[in-house]
Amino acid sequence: MIAKVTSDGDRISMEKFVEQALLYDFYGELLTKRQQQVYESVVLEDYSLSEVAEELEISRQGVHDMIKRCNRILEDYENKLHLVEKFLNIRRQVQRIHSLAGQYQAREIEEISKEILEEL
């Protein structure tokens, strides 16, 4: 399994990182501006907890707790709304359509499915 090593030495799987990024893409706007700032810095931009804590003049533990809280909030939204799950299912189905269209030489369907995949 591919893993990402954070600047704090924690290892997270690439799958978990992608999941966090998708959750943030879908629900990040529902976090407070401060939560967005901290989450983006630590999770998406890979700053250390210490760097963010120093910049925002809060404790390292405060940054850690905020990241955990944000992850819980984002996961709660997904558990209620299932937007990421639906997105991933649609993407898989369109990839399948694209593949089948290529097999049956249905060029127009293949092109439409390619356009949809690019939009997703």
Side-chain angles (χ1 to χ4, degrees):
M1 175 178 291
I2 298 172
K4 175 184 175 203
V5 179
T6 66
S7 49
D8 287 345
D10 295 332
R11 294 177 64 89
I12 60 170
S13 70
M14 191 56 67
E15 185 177 300
K16 181 68 176 171
F17 175 74
V18 170
E19 178 185 328
Q20 287 177 312
L22 279 171
L23 288 171
Y24 186 78
D25 284 347
F26 278 85
Y27 307 113
E29 290 294 317
L30 300 172
L31 299 174
T32 67
K33 293 298 178 195
R34 179 79 155 190
Q35 289 171 328
Q36 289 175 28
Q37 180 184 18
V38 170
Y39 197 84
E40 287 175 11
S41 295
V42 174
V43 176
L44 303 179
E45 297 170 9
D46 204 25
Y47 284 95
S48 71
L49 299 178
S50 300
E51 289 171 317
V52 175
E54 184 178 319
E55 179 184 323
L56 299 177
E57 299 179 351
I58 59 177
S59 71
R60 184 181 179 283
Q61 184 64 45
V63 174
H64 180 266
D65 291 346
M66 187 176 292
I67 295 300
K68 288 183 77 160
R69 191 173 327 117
C70 288
N71 280 329
R72 244 187 340 266
I73 291 168
L74 296 173
E75 288 168 4
D76 285 346
Y77 282 127
E78 177 59 15
N79 289 335
K80 292 174 184 168
L81 301 172
H82 306 284
L83 296 179
V84 173
E85 179 185 345
K86 290 174 186 175
F87 165 79
L88 293 173
N89 285 334
I90 290 169
R91 186 170 70 180
R92 273 192 297 274
Q93 291 170 343
V94 172
Q95 286 171 334
R96 186 165 175 239
I97 290 169
H98 183 75
S99 175
L100 289 170
Q103 289 175 8
Y104 292 103
Q105 299 174 345
R107 296 283 179 232
E108 188 173 353
I109 295 171
E110 190 175 11
E111 287 302 314
I112 292 169
S113 63
K114 182 179 177 182
E115 288 174 23
I116 293 170
L117 287 170
E118 289 171 0
E119 288 292 319
L120 294 175

